[in-house]
Amino acid sequence: MGLGYVLLKRLQRERRRRRRSRHALVPVVADESIASPEKRKGSCYQQDDSPRSGKKMRYSGPYLPEEMWQHIHSLMPMKDAARAACLSSAFLYSWRNRPKLSFSTETMGIVEGTTDFIRKIDRVMKKHSGIGVKALTIEFNGLFSTKARSYLERWLQIAVTPRIEELSLSMSKGKAYYDFPCSLLSDGSGSSIRLLDLYCCTFHPTAEIGCFQSLTRLHLEYVRITGDELGCVFSTSFALEWLKLRLCRHIKYMKLPCVLQRLTYVEVRGCSRLRVIENKAPNLHSLHIFYQAYHPIQLSFGESSLVKNLSIGYSSVLNHACAELPYIFPNLETLTIRSLGEMVSTPMVPNTFLHLKYLCITLSAVTLSPSYDYLSLVSFLDACPSLDTFIVDVSAKHPENDSIFENPSHLRQLPEQRHDNLRNVKITGFRSVKSLLELTYHILENTSVECLTLDTSFESFRCSPGKLGRCSRMPKDDLMEASKALFAIRTYIEGKVPSTVRLNVVEPCSRCHVMEPFTVETRK
């Protein structure tokens, strides 16, 4: 894109010079004679007949093959490519055969409503030859309407050919879903697609649609499709490597067949009706499942599952994780758990994650039970003998009486059990909750931890010196809780930290927040 931008600026300068002077120097790339070998010989300056002044010098510049200029033109952003086509007949030809077409409010400039957006795209598509389109992206960003349907189908008929490799359509959320014409992908037109990305569409593929033999990435979000229809896509997607399904609420059952030999990554979010995932894809390594529901998804992965990276989140996930995940995924190396519902404590883990090295647990219920016991998370440490990194993210609210300052009784200690492979521990959203202090103390006493980070900031974004912007806003209650947490760390934790452990205490940003120091007298 940098070379294309420089070339465009050069063309613009030469055009201005040509207007100002009879003997202006004009780059050959602005003329169709760029590929003429006769005009490339000899000096870089060549004579040309001029009806007004007899002879004119034309600057040839460095010779590049026509295919190279077309490649440079294809790398330009849409706006720059259109401007270059206005200045150069060679680029005009490239513009009419541009392989990558991307239409959005960003690439099309100022758009005055749906009609103007449609008009600008239609003007480009009418002049495009339809030859050589490899990628088509259309993002309506709230501008999709009934009027746009007929135009969109005409554009798709021009662009979707047996040569297209990437197709991305983003309709407008909250409006009528666009019924994607699956017939466009028949007769070999779908066999070349490598990326299919649909947003807010109805997609009903059938077995007769043809083969998706080149499809490597499939992303469906807010798409109305059933499990059987998804199976029609999978049955011929022999090259599929990456699958992402978000908020596809008509899928109840998903089966990943053994023909998906190259599938390594699957992400499923917000598919609230999904009940079963059956996997026979032999090389699936990364699985991410998140949804707002109280029921666990039935996971059928066989005894030889090679999944190494798992992220999973729903209301009762901690109970499910403890009871079943070690059996379903015996080869896990990284595990991220996000609990979305109320809990009392973490049950004992009956089996062992032998290979697990990274564990992140996020407790994000709106309000945790007053009796929730953070010390019970030690059961995960007991079940992970190879664990190197342990992260706890506490983003839930706690009742006031959970604080160590409301219940200053003696801190509990569990029977000693060493976790000598543990090196890094981080607790974000650290609070003055008594059981959280007990968990921290247990880690200091029973592990070989080298770095302990206690983050009291509750900030999703932090500013940094020399950059614009401020930290995300912290409510007054969170600032007070951060102050209490800092006081608890100084009182109960700092004196227990061995010299071999690096303690990092993260406080709210002093540039963006004013925090009153907490003392026991303040509480009174």
Side-chain angles (χ1 to χ4, degrees), residues 246-487:
R246 291 190 174 186
L247 300 159
C248 299
R249 297 186 173 123
H250 289 69
I251 301 174
K252 297 180 180 179
Y253 181 97
M254 183 171 72
K255 182 177 180 180
L256 303 172
C258 60
V259 299
L260 303 180
Q261 296 283 320
R262 299 183 183 180
L263 184 64
T264 60
Y265 179 94
V266 172
E267 179 180 329
V268 180
R269 292 180 181 266
C271 300
S272 55
R273 295 185 183 180
L274 185 61
R275 296 293 184 270
V276 179
I277 297 178
E278 179 182 342
N279 176 61
K280 293 184 179 180
N283 296 305
L284 181 60
H285 290 162
S286 297
L287 178 65
H288 307 270
I289 306 173
F290 297 94
Y291 60 99
Q292 293 278 358
Y294 290 92
H295 61 83
I297 292 178
Q298 180 182 336
L299 301 172
S300 176
F301 277 70
E303 297 180 358
S304 59
S305 171
L306 296 179
V307 174
K308 295 183 179 181
N309 308 305
L310 175 66
S311 300
I312 189 166
Y314 53 90
S315 296
S316 57
V317 65
L318 278 178
N319 293 332
H320 186 210
C322 297
E324 299 183 25
L325 292 187
Y327 300 98
I328 301 174
F329 304 108
N331 296 301
L332 280 183
E333 295 181 1
T334 68
L335 174 61
T336 299
I337 300 173
R338 184 175 182 181
S339 181
L340 306 176
E342 293 188 1
M343 300 159 289
V344 175
S345 63
T346 302
M348 295 297 295
V349 183
N351 207 338
T352 303
F353 294 99
L354 288 176
H355 308 287
L356 196 67
K357 297 180 181 180
Y358 174 95
L359 174 61
C360 177
I361 299 176
T362 298
L363 306 172
S364 57
V366 176
T367 302
L368 289 177
S369 169
S371 59
Y372 182 78
D373 188 4
Y374 283 101
L375 187 59
S376 65
L377 291 175
V378 171
S379 64
F380 273 104
L381 300 183
D382 295 339
C384 305
S386 302
L387 194 64
D388 174 86
T389 300
F390 181 46
I391 299 174
V392 180
D393 185 353
V394 183
S395 56
K397 297 290 185 180
H398 283 264
E400 183 69 22
N401 58 8
D402 275 2
S403 174
I404 184 68
F405 302 114
E406 297 295 331
N407 183 19
S409 58
H410 183 69
L411 295 178
R412 296 172 297 164
Q413 295 186 26
L414 296 177
E416 181 176 342
Q417 182 168 343
R418 299 294 301 174
H419 314 286
D420 288 327
N421 287 317
L422 190 61
R423 294 292 183 268
N424 300 288
V425 176
K426 182 177 182 179
I427 303 177
T428 61
F430 192 88
R431 301 170 184 268
S432 61
V433 176
K434 182 180 177 181
S435 63
L436 195 56
L437 293 167
E438 292 170 339
L439 172 64
T440 307
Y441 184 74
H442 178 86
I443 290 172
L444 289 172
E445 289 289 315
N446 295 279
T447 71
S448 300
V449 64
E450 297 175 354
C451 180
L452 172 63
T453 300
L454 305 178
D455 188 345
T456 67
S457 66
F458 303 94
E459 293 169 327
S460 58
F461 171 78
R462 288 183 69 93
C463 68
S464 58
K467 293 186 178 180
L468 298 176
R470 294 176 60 86
C471 298
S472 55
R473 180 180 175 273
M474 285 184 66
K476 185 177 179 180
D477 291 346
D478 285 347
L479 283 170
M480 178 56 69
E481 182 55 48
S483 182
K484 291 168 63 176
L486 290 169
F487 188 81

Side-chain angles (χ1 to χ4, degrees), residues 486-518:
L486 290 169
F487 188 81
I489 292 171
R490 297 187 186 102
T491 305
Y492 295 97
I493 300 298
E494 286 185 350
K496 304 291 185 180
V497 178
S499 59
T500 55
V501 178
R502 184 173 74 255
L503 175 63
N504 297 321
V505 179
V506 181
E507 303 183 18
C509 173
S510 59
R511 296 172 59 206
C512 303
H513 305 296
V514 178
M515 182 175 61
E516 297 182 3
F518 175 84

Side-chain angles (χ1 to χ4, degrees), residues 15 45 129 155 221 238 298 302 324:
R15 192 180 191 187
Y45 289 91
S129 65
W155 302 336
E221 184 169 355
F238 309 115
Q298 180 182 336
E324 299 183 25

Side-chain angles (χ1 to χ4, degrees), residues 14 17-19 21-26 56-58:
E14 297 296 342
R17 291 175 186 173
R18 184 171 55 187
R19 289 174 177 174
S21 174
R22 292 182 177 181
H23 304 286
L25 297 180
V26 182
K56 179 174 64 177
M57 299 301 293
R58 174 177 296 162

Side-chain angles (χ1 to χ4, degrees), residues 22 36 46 100-101 107 114 166 172-173 184 224 244 264 388 408 411 447 464 500:
R22 292 182 177 181
S36 173
Q46 298 164 0
K100 294 184 178 181
L101 299 174
T107 62
T114 301
E166 299 179 9
S172 301
K173 183 180 176 183
L184 284 175
R224 293 176 180 174
K244 181 184 288 187
T264 60
D388 174 86
L411 295 178
T447 71
S464 58
T500 55

